[in-house]
Amino acid sequence: MEITNVMEYQEIARQKLPKMVYDYYASGAEDQWTLRENRNAFSRILFRPRILIDVSKIDISTTVLGFNISMPIMVAPTAMQKMAHPEGEYATARAASAAGTIMTLSSWSTSSVEEVASTGPGIRFFQLYVYKDRNVVAQLVKRAERAGFKAIALTVDTPRLGRREADIKNRFALPPYLTLKNFEGLDLGKMHKTNDSGLASYAAGQVDRTLSWKDVKWLQTITDLPILVKGVITAEDTRLAVEAGVAGIIVSNHGARQLDYVPATIMALEEVVKAAQGRIPVFLDGGVRRGTDVFKALALGASGIFIGRPVLFSLAAEGEAGVRKVLQMLRDEFELTMALSGCRSLKEITRDHVVTEWDRPRIAPRL
Ligand code: FNR
């Protein structure tokens, strides 16, 4: 039967993938309250569509950090994509490029920055975990720069890995035929001979728990690439991010895989947007599965969104064609939402096009 929405790929992936892999992709931290809430919260935001507006032409293109892309829907970094499909990150890179949008490559990818760059042209960001060994970080960033990556997405919500109980039960490990390719060519200091899973646990174990705003400053000294901080969900940290001179913020709770019982990202978005005061762009990821979700995020002030699991599940189901289809379905749904809301371009999407539970009851829009 034809796939008609993004969510359907999850069940196909569940049937196709080994349980250990599916659980790693699908699960969230502890009680998985935030995992459910990332989806549920979207369903509590409703539309206030405008009618009798000529919507015969709709433009959903936009600019992110100065780069023109075809739609405000981008690919989030997710680790170890070759567990989903042999083509892994190559397939994702090609699909994102074909869709005219940005792919963010995980530090923990099973294809290297150079390999992903070799798939052809495309605007790509590199997601960075900061390791205790700053030499490793500096080498990685340089390689990403040389491979033509256009920005660094610095993940700031992972001083330690969240507790994902399915992974504990399954004793999750990277399958032995795969490696974390970005670490292969690196001078790993003390670590000499190792097997592949040694490399994976090295990568996880080496994340620096002391990471702080001064390290953001340090990162700015070793690269000219714009830096996005990924994982901010409060006004306080937004103000610090603006002060630190970062290029943008990604409101993210890491797909609910880190601290459980943080709010859904769509609930935290407006607080961050207000604190950013338009000085830097704010993006969102977490639970986006419909074009209506994209519209809601933009109405609440996001400049664009990223999708994580839909890429993994469609990759598992159909490889590159699956990822292309996911991006196409979201594009079509988002464009339809715009038409039915009376918006012809992204700048016509306003706060008055949605109503949230934290809005005061009103009978007329604000003047
Ligand atoms: C992630 N995410 C993630 N983030 C990051 O900064 N570096 C990484 O390596 C990974 N790896 C990763 C693996 C898997 C299996 C998942 C599901 C997620 C988080 C990711 O970038 C993003 O924040 C969420 O996936 C967004 O939520 P949705 O779209 O999956 O609901």
Side-chain angles (χ1 to χ4, degrees):
M1 219 171 2
E2 190 186 348
I3 299 224
T4 52
N5 69 64
V6 164
M7 272 90 68
E8 287 174 354
Y9 277 117
Q10 178 157 0
E11 180 53 25
I12 300 172
R14 195 183 64 77
Q15 288 169 17
K16 259 185 120 161
L17 291 172
K19 180 172 161 45
M20 179 193 79
V21 173
Y22 173 79
D23 284 354
Y24 172 74
Y25 288 158
S27 56
E30 297 184 353
D31 297 336
Q32 307 190 107
W33 182 87
T34 299
L35 184 67
R36 292 185 295 277
E37 180 67 1
N38 269 356
R39 284 294 309 134
N40 290 341
F42 277 111
S43 69
R44 301 193 299 264
I45 297 169
L46 304 179
F47 289 121
R48 300 182 69 255
R50 300 300 307 279
I51 51 151
L52 293 180
I53 292 168
D54 176 354
V55 289
S56 55
K57 289 197 189 69
I58 293 179
D59 178 10
I60 65 167
S61 67
T62 189
T63 308
V64 169
L65 303 181
F67 298 100
N68 296 325
I69 53 174
S70 71
M71 58 178 177
I73 300 163
M74 298 168 276
V75 174
T78 52
M80 309 173 201
Q81 295 184 359
K82 282 192 181 169
M83 294 193 307
H85 188 273
E87 295 271 300
E89 293 84 4
Y90 294 85
T92 304
R94 289 197 196 102
S97 177
T101 193
I102 293 166
M103 171 196 184
T104 317
L105 182 70
S106 166
S107 276
W108 293 349
S109 51
T110 37
S111 316
S112 67
V113 285
E114 293 84 5
E115 287 173 331
V116 169
S118 77
T119 61
I123 304 159
R124 299 180 186 112
F125 295 170
F126 180 67
Q127 176 269 328
L128 184 70
Y129 284 123
V130 173
Y131 302 97
K132 293 172 194 158
D133 184 345
R134 294 308 150 89
N135 181 36
V136 166
V137 179
Q139 288 180 74
L140 260 180
V141 169
K142 277 283 157 271
R143 279 174 55 197
E145 271 180 19
R146 260 187 252 124
F149 284 68
K150 302 294 185 209
I152 300 290
L154 175 68
T155 301
V156 293
D157 57 15
T158 311
R160 295 172 59 175
L161 280 192
R163 195 175 158 82
R164 303 160 201 162
E165 292 181 16
D167 294 348
I168 298 169
K169 287 193 207 307
N170 296 333
R171 300 182 193 281
F172 173 78
L174 186 64
Y177 60 94
L178 295 173
T179 54
L180 298 184
K181 282 279 179 140
N182 285 323
F183 293 86
E184 261 188 359
L186 287 173
D187 170 15
L188 292 176
K190 291 193 295 288
M191 207 188 72
H192 296 302
K193 276 180 274 156
T194 184
N195 57 28
D196 300 336
S197 65
L199 203 57
S201 59
Y202 173 86
Q206 288 296 308
V207 171
D208 190 349
R209 297 181 184 183
T210 74
L211 192 71
S212 71
W213 288 106
K214 75 173 182 344
D215 300 297
V216 176
K217 288 277 167 209
W218 170 77
L219 196 56
Q220 287 165 333
T221 68
I222 67 157
T223 181
D224 291 329
L225 292 179
I227 296 167
L228 299 170
V229 283
K230 174 176 182 284
V232 168
I233 54 171
T234 64
E236 295 90 319
D237 286 332
T238 302
R239 286 190 282 270
L240 292 172
V242 171
E243 274 170 34
V246 302
I249 285 173
I250 304 173
V251 174
S252 172
N253 52 33
H254 212 114
R257 294 159 76 77
Q258 287 296 106
L259 181 61
D260 199 16
Y261 296 98
V262 293
T265 48
I266 194 70
M267 302 292 283
L269 175 65
E270 209 168 23
E271 171 175 333
V272 171
V273 166
K274 283 186 178 151
Q277 297 183 313
R279 290 163 71 185
I280 50 174
V282 175
F283 304 93
L284 171 138
D285 74 27
V288 176
R289 303 290 181 267
R290 284 283 190 188
T292 51
D293 300 336
V294 181
F295 186 102
K296 289 170 185 177
L298 268 59
L300 293 174
S303 296
I305 63 87
F306 294 81
I307 50 167
R309 293 183 184 83
V311 169
L312 295 167
F313 295 146
S314 57
L315 197 56
E318 294 170 1
E320 180 185 335
V323 182
R324 281 183 187 236
K325 175 125 198 216
V326 155
L327 291 168
Q328 185 64 44
M329 285 190 294
L330 286 175
R331 177 198 301 278
D332 291 345
E333 288 178 5
F334 176 57
E335 197 193 17
L336 178 62
T337 308
M338 285 183 63
L340 298 179
S341 301
C343 298
R344 292 161 297 194
S345 67
L346 301 195
K347 67 175 186 311
E348 288 188 354
I349 301 175
T350 70
R351 184 61 173 84
D352 284 328
H353 284 97
V354 293
V355 57
T356 69
E357 55 200 13
W358 59 93
D359 290 330
R360 285 211 212 105
R362 56 185 181 173
I363 52 169
R366 282 177 294 270
L367 291 174

